[in-house]
């Protein structure tokens, strides 16, 4: 039996070098192929004209550059775009592009569904199917880049990537790492580490590994300042409580004093939005180079929380600023097409049966 072709999309530079060496070829072909795929958008080996003809033929037989498909596109009236991306097994994930004056941010999914059960998040209600492969992760960037270029958004429409779509990126560590290395590689998308952000609900061992392997910008979904409340909102807190999480954060940027960790804090009416909460947050974050992103809660069907009032959000923000913390309120983007934080749902073949259990309850 012949083995299935290797998908070269998603192999980072080292992995591609190993691939070429295993074919008995020179490792430097990795550089050529990276540029063809990511900088020129070429997926057909016969067009990779600086490769020897014989090598192009070998690749045509043994490898592919297989990109996921777009199942649908929605454009919000604020310019945000959301794509439903169909994977080979029929599952779908969502990818969101958020244009701003000075940048274009792509929000990328890392898993089909999510294993975590954060009580206010739409993805959590979908249950979990599987991890994405690195090619499916970088494939979202590849696809979005191509679509935005053809929509006339210029040669480099994506200036920032945030791993803030569906899933918990640190529970799909290896694939996310390869994909992020491709985002950073000068022969590929060439983004700086500051412009690639990984957001985590608080997988402490993952934060520690990431600090060693690929210290991109880190965002942490904190959302509560007491363990009893955080256990409810972000149940992985039972495994890695707040003090452990903040300890890992303190060490994350130890070698780089100019950078800061972003703490995300979803504003839930009468749940976590009091002034006492703000003061405790400032106290907890004091030892850490930090900034805070307040996220007004976005409505999710079937979830009972309400968003804090604008007044409460402003009061919370002003208190943090008065206590010396850089704080911004994240403007909800793409809410009309359910593309805002916590609204991504995709089409998940749920293996955990969580979605049907929740439907039964409703
Ligand atoms: N699992 C990772 C990546 C998801 S990022 C993480 O938890 O960080 C998505 C961000 O949106 C997280 O900060 C998440 O807590 C937040 N979020 C989830 N549901 C939300 C909602 N309904 N309204 C606003 N923010 C939400």
């Amino acid at each position: 039996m012949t083995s299935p072709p290797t998908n070269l999309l998603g192999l980072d530079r080292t992995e591609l070098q190993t691939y070429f060496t295993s074919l008995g070829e020179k490792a430097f072909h990795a550089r050529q192929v990276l540029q063809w795929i990511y900088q020129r958008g070429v997926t057909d080996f016969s067009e990779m004209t600086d490769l020897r003809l014989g090598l192009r033929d070998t690749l045509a037989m043994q490898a592919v550059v297989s990109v996921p498909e777009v199942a649908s596109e929605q454009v919000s009236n604020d310019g945000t775009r959301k794509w439903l991306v169909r994977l080979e097994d029929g599952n779908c994930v969502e990818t969101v592009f958020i244009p701003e004056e000075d940048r274009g941010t792509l929000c990328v999914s890392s898993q089909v569904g999510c294993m975590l059960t954060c009580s206010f998040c739409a993805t959590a209600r979908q249950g979990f199917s599987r991890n994405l492969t690195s090619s499916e992760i970088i494939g979202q960037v590849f696809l979005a880049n191509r679509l935005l270029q053809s929509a006339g958004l210029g040669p480099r429409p994506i200036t920032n990537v945030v791993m803030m779509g569906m899933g918990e990126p640190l529970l799909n560590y290896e694939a996310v790492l390869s994909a992020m290395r491709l985002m950073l590689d000068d022969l590929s998308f060439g983004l700086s580490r500051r412009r690639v952000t990984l957001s985590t609900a608080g997988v402490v061992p993952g934060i520690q590994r990431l600090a060693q392997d690929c210290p991109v910008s880190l965002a942490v979904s904190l959302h509560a300042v007491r363990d009893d409340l955080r256990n409810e909102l972000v149940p992985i807190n039972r495994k890695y409580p707040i003090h452990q999480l903040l300890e890992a954060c303190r060490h994350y940027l130890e070698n780089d004093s100019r950078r800061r960790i972003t703490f995300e804090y979803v504003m839930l009416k009468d749940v976590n939005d009091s002034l006492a909460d703000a003061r405790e947050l400032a106290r907890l974050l004091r030892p850490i180079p930090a900034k805070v992103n307040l996220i007004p809660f976005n409505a999710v069907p079937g979830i009972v929380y309400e968003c804090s009032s604008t007044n409460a959000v402003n009061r919370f923000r002003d208190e943090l600023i008065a206590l010396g913390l850089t704080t911004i309120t994240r403007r909800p983007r793409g809410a009309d097409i359910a593309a805002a934080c916590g609204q991504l749902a995709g089409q998940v073949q749920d293996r955990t049966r969580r979605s049907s259990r929740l439907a039964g309850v409703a």
Side-chain angles (χ1 to χ4, degrees), residues 107-108 110-111 114 116 118-124 163-170 198-203 219-223 230 233-234 263-268 293 295-300 303 305 330 340-344:
C107 177
V108 169
S110 58
Q111 297 182 311
C114 191
L116 305 182
C118 302
S119 56
F120 50 88
C121 178
T123 307
M163 298 300 305
M164 289 190 189
M166 297 167 63
E168 168 48 52
L170 292 182
L198 181 145
S199 178
T200 178
V203 181
V220 174
S221 296
L222 192 60
H223 305 323
R230 196 164 190 272
L233 299 178
V234 186
F263 288 89
E264 296 158 291
Y265 196 96
V266 65
M267 296 299 291
L268 302 171
N293 263 1
I295 315 178
F297 170 68
N298 293 304
V300 172
I303 293 183
Y305 297 109
R330 196 180 281 174
C341 295
Q343 295 186 315
L344 300 188

Side-chain angles (χ1 to χ4, degrees), residues 128-358:
F128 177 74
S129 178
R130 64 173 175 85
N131 278 333
L132 293 183
T133 63
S134 67
S135 78
E136 291 166 335
I137 299 169
I138 200 71
Q140 296 169 64
V141 187
F142 181 96
L143 263 181
N145 187 50
R146 189 160 75 185
L147 292 165
L148 294 166
Q149 283 172 342
S150 21
L153 276 84
R156 299 201 56 171
I158 299 168
T159 62
N160 295 59
V161 174
V162 293
M163 298 300 305
M164 289 190 189
M166 297 167 63
E168 168 48 52
L170 292 182
L171 293 180
N172 183 14
Y173 190 84
E174 300 296 340
V176 166
L177 189 64
S178 298
M180 290 197 310
R181 286 191 165 137
L182 283 166
M183 296 169 201
L184 301 177
D185 195 319
D186 285 337
L187 300 175
S188 171
F189 292 105
L191 300 177
S192 81
R193 274 192 287 139
R194 278 183 311 114
R195 290 180 178 272
V196 174
T197 302
L198 181 145
S199 178
T200 178
V203 181
V204 166
I207 295 175
Q208 292 160 338
R209 281 179 79 185
L210 195 65
Q212 303 302 319
D213 294 340
C214 189
V216 293
S217 296
L218 185 68
V220 174
S221 296
L222 192 60
H223 305 323
V225 292
R226 297 188 325 266
D227 281 320
D228 59 343
L229 178 59
R230 196 164 190 272
N231 287 344
E232 237 177 77
L233 299 178
V234 186
I236 198 177
N237 193 69
R238 295 191 189 130
K239 198 156 177 196
Y240 308 112
I242 294 173
H243 77 271
Q244 267 186 37
L245 174 57
L246 295 182
E247 189 59 18
C249 291
R250 204 162 61 79
H251 290 299
Y252 187 74
L253 292 180
E254 242 167 12
N255 303 319
D256 192 346
S257 56
R258 287 162 311 168
R259 294 167 74 210
R260 286 188 287 180
I261 293 178
T262 301
F263 288 89
E264 296 158 291
Y265 196 96
V266 65
M267 296 299 291
L268 302 171
K269 183 177 182 185
D270 299 332
V271 174
N272 64 355
D273 62 353
S274 73
L275 276 182
D277 288 313
R279 290 180 194 129
E280 178 61 7
L281 181 58
R283 192 188 69 79
L284 285 174
L285 297 186
R286 201 157 294 139
I288 303 171
K291 57 186 175 194
V292 175
N293 263 1
L294 300 179
I295 315 178
F297 170 68
N298 293 304
V300 172
I303 293 183
V304 293
Y305 297 109
E306 283 175 64
C307 184
S308 310
S309 69
T310 310
N311 268 345
V313 176
N314 290 345
R315 205 180 44 181
F316 199 92
R317 180 201 58 201
D318 293 344
E319 184 69 13
L320 291 178
I321 292 176
L323 293 167
L325 263 176
T326 306
T327 306
I328 59 159
T329 306
R330 196 180 281 174
R331 232 172 358 126
R333 298 290 304 266
D336 55 333
I337 55 169
C341 295
Q343 295 186 315
L344 300 188
Q347 289 173 10
V348 177
Q349 292 156 10
D350 181 17
R351 295 181 187 229
T352 59
R353 306 194 189 278
R354 195 186 310 143
S355 49
S356 46
R357 272 200 318 268
L358 286 168

